[in-house]
Amino acid sequence: MKSKYLFPAWCSLFGYLLTIPGFVLGYLNVMKNFEISGFGFKMREKDGFFQKGFENFTNELCVFLVVIGLILIAFSKSKNEDELNAKLRLNALYWAIMIYYGFYFIWVFLTVIIGEIPFFSGHMGELNLFTPLLIFIFRFYYLKHIKNESYLISEPKFLPHQPFKRIGIIMSLTCLIGLIVGLAIDLQSDVKDSALAIIYAGLIIGLLLWAFSKNKIEDEMVMQHRLESLQMAVYLNYGLILIGTLLLYSLSYLYFLLYAEFSLLLYFVLRMEYVNYKNVRLLNRIEGGISYEE
């Protein structure tokens, strides 16, 4: 197993040069209400209830600096990019996803029990943008430090193929359809909001079961596909997040952030299923050719 789709090693330094100023600027913007003067343009004649007449892009700049910087730090080649690094990346990616969604559901549970949590409730969307990348970076470099040259690293633990993968697929598809239908129905009520919240949580849980369940055959090649699919899902997800950050505002952006909560898992499982489908077709053609020759 080896890592693919990585940036050159020098990009890691460039990532730090983007991330640190991005966090500093983000802190000033969120905590001190600092905005770069004139950094934006007038989009409306006057302020609306959720929309400002003049859109300042300081917050968007923070997101771009931090996200791009963290991606470069996380996915730049090491000096010695070998099989060990690939195993560490896969381990760190899975830990990042598990810890992130663990914290997410804890936050949701606490919000339901005790109400809004100061600061976090108002900024959870922004925090969620870079939290998985931060967890991955900490986990990856922690493993590199403690494992050093040892190739004895435990692989991520997966749920049994059955029944969890089937349950995950059924839950994901059912909840996704339910979410689309629920949003399409023009009905404002507390019952609808509660139902959508439950369906939304069910969708994330279903995708987690789907993503963390074993394939029928779990070998080195499948682990390689998992690593590649996770990396591609991260690139695609954050690429779309940056585009959304640039083009969407106010309520549209908030809805987009809700989509971003599960989109990484969605991209991952879709790519894994596509790769598995291609491999099965290739295997069938090979077996068919052997039978024909015999």
Side-chain angles (χ1 to χ4, degrees):
M1 184 168 64
K2 61 180 181 179
S3 299
K4 297 181 180 179
Y5 315 121
L6 298 176
F7 298 98
W10 60 266
C11 290
S12 179
L13 176 60
F14 187 59
Y16 284 105
L17 295 177
L18 293 177
T19 302
I20 295 173
F23 273 124
V24 172
L25 185 60
Y27 169 80
L28 294 174
N29 178 251
V30 172
M31 304 303 295
K32 306 295 183 181
N33 294 319
F34 170 78
E35 292 183 343
I36 301 174
S37 179
F39 188 59
F41 55 84
K42 186 176 181 180
M43 298 184 64
R44 304 166 192 89
E45 291 298 324
K46 58 181 181 179
D47 292 348
F49 188 68
F50 287 107
Q51 299 174 325
K52 294 181 179 180
F54 183 86
E55 288 286 352
N56 189 283
F57 294 151
T58 302
N59 185 51
E60 285 79 1
L61 177 61
C62 299
V63 172
F64 267 75
L65 290 174
V66 171
V67 169
I68 294 175
L70 289 177
I71 287 177
L72 292 177
I73 295 170
F75 298 106
S76 292
K77 291 180 180 179
S78 302
K79 291 182 179 179
N80 298 315
E81 195 64 41
D82 54 11
E83 183 179 353
L84 174 61
N85 273 348
K87 291 181 178 180
L88 297 181
R89 288 184 192 280
L90 179 60
N91 186 292
L93 278 168
Y94 268 83
W95 270 85
I97 293 174
M98 287 191 294
I99 294 174
Y100 166 70
Y101 281 107
F103 282 143
Y104 175 77
F105 280 110
I106 290 173
W107 170 74
V108 171
F109 176 76
L110 292 176
T111 302
V112 172
I113 298 299
I114 65 177
E116 291 191 359
I117 303 173
F119 179 77
F120 289 99
S121 296
H123 300 283
M124 200 63 185
E126 293 92 336
L127 292 173
N128 288 343
L129 290 179
F130 55 80
T131 302
L133 291 173
L134 276 178
I135 297 172
F136 166 77
I137 291 169
F138 288 139
R139 173 71 178 172
F140 177 66
Y141 284 100
Y142 166 75
L143 289 175
K144 284 192 70 172
H145 175 71
I146 65 170
K147 293 299 180 181
N148 201 7
E149 298 299 326
S150 173
Y151 280 73
L152 298 176
I153 178 172
S154 60
E155 294 181 348
K157 305 298 183 183
F158 300 104
L159 296 169
H161 177 71
Q162 295 297 350
F164 292 102
K165 187 164 187 177
R166 181 173 297 176
I167 293 173
I169 293 174
I170 294 173
M171 279 187 65
S172 300
L173 296 179
T174 302
C175 291
L176 184 59
I177 294 171
L179 195 62
I180 294 172
V181 172
L183 291 173
I185 297 175
D186 187 15
L187 176 64
Q188 298 296 327
S189 68
D190 293 337
V191 175
K192 176 186 174 181
D193 293 340
S194 299
L196 286 176
I198 294 172
I199 293 172
Y200 182 79
L203 174 60
I204 294 178
I205 294 172
L207 288 171
L208 284 170
L209 292 175
W210 190 350
F212 283 90
S213 296
K214 291 181 179 179
N215 286 357
K216 289 182 179 179
I217 300 175
E218 197 73 27
D219 54 15
E220 188 76 11
M221 183 178 70
V222 173
M223 299 301 285
Q224 177 71 38
H225 292 327
R226 287 186 184 278
L227 175 60
E228 293 175 7
S229 297
L230 271 174
Q231 288 184 217
M232 295 299 292
V234 168
Y235 293 154
L236 177 59
N237 192 55
Y238 279 100
L240 293 177
I241 285 175
L242 292 179
I243 293 174
T245 300
L246 188 63
L247 300 179
L248 301 176
Y249 304 95
S250 304
L251 282 177
S252 298
Y253 187 62
L254 293 178
Y255 287 131
F256 178 75
L257 291 180
L258 288 175
Y259 167 74
E261 288 290 351
F262 64 84
S263 54
L264 189 149
L265 289 172
L266 181 63
Y267 301 149
F268 168 70
V269 296
L270 289 178
R271 188 181 189 277
M272 278 296 295
E273 292 301 322
Y274 171 71
V275 171
N276 290 337
Y277 171 74
K278 283 181 59 179
N279 289 339
V280 169
R281 286 193 61 186
L282 178 61
L283 182 61
N284 290 338
R285 284 203 299 267
I286 293 174
E287 291 178 347
I290 293 174
S291 299
Y292 178 78
E293 290 175 1
E294 291 177 351

